[in-house]
């Protein structure tokens, strides 16, 4: 923690990327409480984790620690926010305005973390032409046209029924989408180079139910 | 796959539990298409996975495969639904009716997978006494009373701001909640025996942003 550690150009391991938001949360809270420095031992105590793990994770991020005092809380917060991509706004399209899709459109919290859903697509004639939370809903057939109109959209949020999950993914990818945030419990196939992040609430529910039964 | 494999009493590994919903999705689609049998090689092809991995995962579930034809699609669907806990209704309380919490209350899709949020808690006087999607919102102070009134609530959904995430978790656990579904990007601490499932949309977003930058 004593020396300036340069950001590596290596791919950051997924477990590290999953833990970094925890450090950011704690840094933000320390900042709120007016604390100036956070050492990895302090963070370790707060998080119930190993200090060496935290120091290792933070070595991927371009942040310097000072001997004995630790990381500057302001700097740690800013560097983590920037590193995690939360300071930059990323635009996205959402596919499938069902119950979960509609809920995500209504959740303006995503914007605070750098994701702005700018338009949604569905085939339901009752939804096409309407808006949720100010976000317009177009017919899925209009996707290629809207992709060019909006420009610079790389992320597609997938919240369709499982029976069309693959088909809609194919449409998204052939239309130019580079990353699919898959909320369906369906395992989608994509060409190499396309990013897929699975966030199946149902798989997480299954984990809870299973673990509860064992207690 | 030829013999009847009994459900083990071992703890099912988390990666297996994450994959089982994929097999269920595919079994449901095959059922819809009127297909009667699914072999693990067939599932492997559909899912782009290793057949031996699928057979191994399914060995945790009480389902029998027949030589050469595979699993019966109807049986596989039912057994997986039951095993994953989706056929039984689990009731839950939600804490924090902000943007994400409100969205989850509005998402009736969770009910199809065995989770029914029966009441929500918040301290905002504008929300207390109102309803979302027919679900009443009470003041957080009323939690102990409501916990006894409703009865049999084991799951708490955590969607509060990070600065009160630990405090609300402590309230939930001391009040009798056995499993916390944590949607905050804060790492909460719980006594042993309490189930925690982290579903941080923001951590998943960070993964997408990071991987997109590498492509």
């Amino acid at each position: 923690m004593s020396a300036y550690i340069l950001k590596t150009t290596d791919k950051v391991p997924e477990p590290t990327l999953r833990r970094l938001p925890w450090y950011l949360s704690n840094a933000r809270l320390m900042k709120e409480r007016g604390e100036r420095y956070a050492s990895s031992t302090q963070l370790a105590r707060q998080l119930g984790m190993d200090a060496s793990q935290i120091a290792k994770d933070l070595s991927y991020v371009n942040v310097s620690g000072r001997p004995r005092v630790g990381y500057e809380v302001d700097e740690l917060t800013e560097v983590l926010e920037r590193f995690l991509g939360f300071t930059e706004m990323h635009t996205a399209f959402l596919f499938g305005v069902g119950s979960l899709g509609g809920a995500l459109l209504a959740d303006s919290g995503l914007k605070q973390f750098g994701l702005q859903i700018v338009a949604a697509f569905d085939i339901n004639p009752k939804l096409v032409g309407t808006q949720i939370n100010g976000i317009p809903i177009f017919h899925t057939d209009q996707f290629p046209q809207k992709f060019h109109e909006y420009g610079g959209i790389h992320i597609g949020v997938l919240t369709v029924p499982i029976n069309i999950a693959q088909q809609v993914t194919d449409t998204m990818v052939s239309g130019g989408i580079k990353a699919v945030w898959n909320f369906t419990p369906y395992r989608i196939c994509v060409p190499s180079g396309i990013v897929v992040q699975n966030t199946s609430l149902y798989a997480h529910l299954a984990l809870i139910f299973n673990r509860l039964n064992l207690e």
Side-chain angles (χ1 to χ4, degrees), chain A:
Chain A
M1 209 169 63
S2 55
Y4 209 94
I5 300 159
L6 286 176
K7 175 180 167 182
T8 76
T9 47
D10 295 342
K11 196 173 172 183
V12 185
E14 195 168 318
T16 296
L17 276 171
R18 291 192 184 278
R19 284 187 295 261
L20 290 177
W22 288 340
Y23 312 148
L24 174 59
S25 291
N26 280 62
R28 279 178 176 165
L29 293 181
M30 292 176 85
K31 196 176 165 176
E32 253 183 55
R33 291 195 297 264
E35 294 170 37
R36 278 197 60 197
Y37 291 99
S39 67
S40 42
T41 35
Q42 219 176 340
L43 283 169
R45 215 175 26 244
Q46 288 174 10
L47 292 157
M49 282 178 65
D50 197 54
S52 62
Q53 178 70 73
I54 297 177
K56 201 180 158 200
D57 285 343
L58 289 176
S59 74
Y60 284 99
V61 181
N62 194 0
V63 66
S64 56
R66 290 193 201 173
R68 256 164 301 191
V69 287
Y71 308 97
E72 233 183 296
V73 168
D74 279 1
E75 192 193 352
L76 185 60
T77 309
E78 276 163 43
V79 168
L80 280 172
E81 280 174 349
R82 203 165 49 233
F83 187 82
L84 291 169
F86 296 158
T87 48
E88 215 182 306
M89 196 55 81
H90 302 75
T91 46
F93 280 162
L94 179 138
F95 295 78
V97 190
S99 172
L100 178 63
L104 287 174
L105 293 182
D107 175 15
S108 29
L110 293 172
K111 236 188 245 179
Q112 286 170 41
F113 289 87
L115 190 81
Q116 186 174 16
I117 301 173
V118 291
F121 297 90
D122 205 292
I123 52 161
N124 183 345
K126 282 185 192 152
L127 291 169
V128 173
T130 67
Q131 295 196 340
I132 292 181
N133 196 16
I135 302 160
I137 303 168
F138 301 113
H139 193 281
T140 310
D141 291 347
Q142 291 175 275
F143 160 61
Q145 174 201 338
K146 294 296 169 189
F147 185 81
H148 290 286
E149 264 180 50
Y150 279 84
I153 309 285
H154 298 300
I155 301 170
V157 181
L158 188 68
T159 47
V160 297
I162 55 167
N163 61 335
I164 55 165
Q166 186 60 53
Q167 179 199 325
V168 173
T169 300
D170 295 342
T171 306
M172 282 160 75
V173 170
S174 65
I177 291 289
K178 297 280 174 245
V180 182
W181 195 2
N182 177 23
F183 280 85
T184 78
Y186 187 84
R187 184 175 151 93
I188 53 170
C189 298
V190 295
S192 75
I194 300 293
V195 177
V196 172
Q197 174 63 45
N198 292 309
T199 302
S200 171
L201 299 185
Y202 314 121
H204 289 188
L205 263 181
L207 276 162
I208 296 175
F209 297 157
N210 184 273
R211 298 304 186 225
L212 256 180
N213 286 338
L214 296 177
E215 294 302 334

